[in-house]
Amino acid sequence: MSKTYYNSEDLKKFGNITEFQEEMGKKFFDYYGSVFEEGALTAREKSLIALAVSHAIQCPYCIDAYSSDTMEKGCTEEEMMEAVHVAGAIRGGASLVHGVQMMNKVKDLSM
Amino acid sequence: MSIAVKEKKQSLQFRGDDLANVKTQLKILNGKEVIQKELPRFQEKLKAIDIFPLKPTQVDIFQMNLGKMCNQVCAHCHVDAGPDRKEIMTKETMQVCLDILAQYDVSTIDMTGGAPEMNPNFRWFVEEASKLGKKFIDRCNLTIILANPKYHDLPHFFKEHNIEVVSSLPHYSSKKTDSQRGDGVFDKSIKALQMLNEVGYGIEGTGLPLNLVYNPSGAFLPGSQETLEKQFKHKLRKDFGIEFNNLYAITNIPISRFLEYLLQSGNYEGYMEKLVDAYNPAAAQNVMCRNTLSISWDGYIYDCDFNQMLDLKVNAKSKHIKDFDFDELSNRDIVLGQHCFGCTAGAGSSCGGEVA
Ligand code: SF4
Ligand code: SF4
């Protein structure tokens, strides 16, 4: 085992998950490949969404991969940071909207 | 950490940098000085698909490097060009090239540099070469058109001689372009593109091709050429009213000033691994050295402009244009090295963009 839970070198070994379960791993990677192809959304748009989601789920591997991928697709730094703000806004909003629940409870319990 | 490639004011050679010595570069690229772990060798990759030794398919493009002098000092320049470089092709050397071109069935003349237009005999050469009726390309850095009033008429001059213009524009954002090519380069490039559009370059129906070159401003690979082209077309039209024909996505080859950047930024190992991991056998079949000869300012013959900058002369008896032997050169073994992985990553890379 490595001394830290995360090791950037492990990202390159992602494909090796098929070693322990080939069928499911293969299906996942095929699916993954299809998801990121040009479609109704461009591959570029999908990459920016992936970058935003990576930040929402705080996955260091995904942040590494999709920072490079968005750059390769010609995205600007402003576009990339705006995508991260979208993740931030949704995460912040998701907490704050629960404030309504808190307010409901407070109102229920108050005289 | 900045992803930007920092502008350098002078060439490696002028700064007396160790990397100006090609032996130092080759040692880094092919030895174990910087990367201790074993990376696959390029020639082993070609052996695996039965194309080693690599042979030309047909010598069809004659790429002439008219000199290392340039008005810019781009941070990624594989030529180590700049205003402080004085090496330029003489008229006599150009004449020998013209004689060769007249004699052999080579379809394309591709002029590069440095800034080829800075060669004092550039216009004379164009006048003479355009009589040969071949496809004629000028790799123009755009800013040269505005660098001095004597260059302002270049768009007209190109048009008059039916020259195809291929120009570098690393990005449609000024920040990315300037980080690679120097402060203010973006604005001047936009102005130059508008001047080229004005005389008809890049405009549908004029038959005057204006193609752009995209190369990444940092240690990453270019994405899909088609996607980038769409994005460039949309942005340049919307923001500046600029039209162009094709976008060529080109991978930065890890030599010269780009190698310097990779080493200084700690990206060298990661970049080489990226190139090796992205190796594509289909791209290997179509590398540009298979249909190109590259001529240096002093008349030596190379497999490509990159080998030229590493001083890896052709593996043939005719190493100089004065001993030009078309048949021998058409059958030579192409000289390869680890830098060649730059031509075979992903969709591949050549002076005309993707190859696979
Ligand atoms: S990349 Fe082109 S424009 Fe930039 S310094 Fe080199 S030769 Fe000049
Ligand atoms: S670097 Fe030159 S010799 Fe090597 S593959 Fe590319 S074009 Fe061919």
Side-chain angles (χ1 to χ4, degrees):
Chain A
M1 277 296 283
S2 65
K3 290 200 184 65
T4 53
Y5 285 111
Y6 284 118
N7 178 352
S8 61
E9 286 295 307
D10 287 346
L11 175 57
K12 287 184 211 133
K13 300 179 195 151
F14 187 14
N16 299 353
I17 63 159
T18 51
E19 262 175 41
F20 282 15
Q21 221 304 347
E22 193 176 350
E23 190 198 342
M24 291 181 193
K26 248 189 106 286
K27 280 186 176 158
F28 169 79
F29 287 116
D30 284 349
Y31 165 73
Y32 194 99
S34 303
V35 166
F36 283 97
E37 273 168 18
E38 294 277 334
L41 291 173
T42 63
R44 188 179 191 276
E45 287 162 341
K46 288 177 185 178
S47 186
L48 280 166
I49 294 171
L51 183 70
V53 175
S54 307
H55 284 79
I57 59 172
Q58 289 171 289
C59 167
Y61 299 122
C62 309
I63 293 172
D64 182 338
Y66 284 95
S67 300
S68 301
D69 195 64
T70 42
M71 286 175 83
E72 287 174 7
K73 292 193 164 55
C75 299
T76 61
E77 288 157 29
E78 289 78 8
E79 286 173 319
M80 291 161 70
M81 190 53 90
E82 283 184 26
V84 174
H85 276 290
V86 170
I90 294 292
R91 283 195 69 137
S95 293
L96 287 172
V97 73
H98 286 80
V100 178
Q101 207 172 330
M102 175 270 282
M103 287 164 76
N104 290 343
K105 184 73 189 174
V106 167
K107 281 174 189 161
D108 281 351
L109 296 178
S110 299
M111 288 168 111
Chain B
M1 189 190 78
S2 165
I3 49 141
V5 187
K6 287 282 166 282
E7 184 200 2
K8 291 283 186 315
K9 302 271 185 254
Q10 288 146 346
S11 68
L12 290 166
Q13 197 199 55
F14 189 87
R15 285 182 268 137
D17 196 292
D18 216 18
L19 279 178
N21 181 347
V22 293
K23 290 209 181 85
T24 309
Q25 293 188 47
L26 288 168
K27 232 162 107 188
I28 293 169
L29 284 163
N30 300 320
K32 287 199 161 176
E33 216 160 81
V34 184
I35 306 181
Q36 271 95 39
K37 77 165 110 163
E38 200 66 59
L39 283 181
R41 312 302 292 179
F42 188 73
Q43 60 181 63
E44 297 302 321
K45 293 277 184 187
L46 297 195
K47 275 182 197 159
I49 54 167
D50 252 353
I51 54 167
F52 183 82
L54 188 67
K55 294 276 188 187
T57 44
Q58 177 198 9
V59 177
D60 196 38
I61 301 172
F62 205 77
Q63 190 174 65
M64 296 170 58
N65 195 308
L66 300 192
K68 298 190 188 216
M69 195 185 278
C70 190
N71 58 317
Q72 290 185 187
V73 196
C74 303
H76 72 298
C77 184
H78 74 270
V79 179
D80 194 26
D84 56 58
R85 298 301 299 260
K86 306 296 174 215
E87 303 91 326
I88 45 172
M89 191 178 275
T90 61
K91 200 169 172 180
E92 291 70 41
T93 303
M94 287 175 173
Q95 185 59 59
V96 181
C97 289
L98 286 169
D99 296 342
I100 292 169
L101 285 161
Q103 203 180 334
Y104 298 101
D105 189 20
V106 174
S107 78
T108 306
I109 309 170
D110 185 339
M111 295 178 292
T112 188
E117 307 85 356
M118 287 176 89
N119 185 308
N121 294 305
F122 172 75
R123 292 190 193 226
W124 170 81
F125 176 73
V126 169
E127 300 281 352
E128 293 304 310
S130 58
K131 292 177 195 159
L132 298 170
K134 299 187 191 272
K135 181 170 161 186
F136 208 178
I137 299 173
D138 183 61
R139 296 192 180 265
C140 173
N141 71 14
L142 294 174
T143 59
I144 189 69
I145 296 175
L146 295 156
N148 184 304
K150 69 177 176 192
Y151 299 124
H152 290 353
D153 71 327
L154 277 172
H156 289 279
F157 180 77
F158 293 150
K159 180 180 176 175
E160 226 173 280
H161 297 88
N162 214 4
I163 288 180
E164 175 177 328
V165 178
V166 177
S167 290
S168 295
L169 189 73
H171 209 271
Y172 49 78
S173 90
S174 64
K175 194 166 152 193
K176 286 206 178 202
T177 293
D178 287 0
S179 77
Q180 181 186 94
R181 298 178 77 78
D183 287 339
V185 166
F186 181 77
D187 289 344
K188 284 185 209 146
S189 302
I190 291 296
K191 177 84 191 91
L193 285 170
Q194 287 164 339
M195 288 164 77
L196 285 160
N197 275 173
E198 263 164 44
V199 303
Y201 271 102
I203 310 290
E204 226 188 284
T206 59
L208 294 170
L210 171 59
N211 297 320
L212 297 186
V213 168
Y214 161 88
N215 58 304
S217 312
F220 56 97
L221 304 183
S224 141
Q225 179 167 287
E226 196 188 335
T227 310
L228 286 163
E229 182 180 290
K230 270 194 213 143
Q231 191 72 14
F232 266 71
K233 284 204 167 165
H234 170 70
K235 285 282 186 183
L236 289 177
R237 184 177 297 149
K238 183 168 137 274
D239 296 347
F240 308 103
I242 288 170
E243 303 288 333
F244 68 94
N245 299 94
N246 301 305
L247 182 88
Y248 301 150
I250 296 188
T251 304
N252 289 310
I253 305 292
I255 65 169
S256 197
R257 291 210 290 264
F258 190 67
L259 177 60
E260 179 194 31
Y261 154 73
L262 290 174
L263 292 167
Q264 281 182 354
S265 62
N267 276 308
Y268 176 65
E269 183 166 350
Y271 190 74
M272 288 308 290
E273 279 181 6
K274 240 182 236 182
L275 292 181
V276 171
D277 289 346
Y279 168 77
N280 175 0
Q285 298 279 358
N286 296 327
V287 283
M288 65 180 169
C289 46
R290 301 195 86 179
N291 67 357
T292 305
L293 281 178
S294 153
I295 313 298
S296 61
W297 65 278
D298 50 357
Y300 283 96
I301 309 169
Y302 300 84
D303 301 296
C304 70
D305 207 45
F306 306 118
N307 281 7
Q308 183 183 137
M309 299 314 150
L310 289 170
D311 199 26
L312 300 168
K313 296 188 175 75
V314 277
N315 184 5
K317 274 193 239 100
S318 48
K319 290 191 195 307
H320 194 275
I321 47 168
K322 62 180 191 314
D323 311 310
F324 195 84
D325 180 338
F326 191 78
D327 292 333
E328 192 206 13
L329 289 165
S330 301
N331 273 305
R332 73 197 193 274
D333 291 353
I334 293 166
V335 181
L336 305 163
Q338 292 299 84
H339 62 291
C340 296
F341 276 112
C343 292
T344 56
S349 176
S350 74
C351 285
E354 289 181 354
V355 296

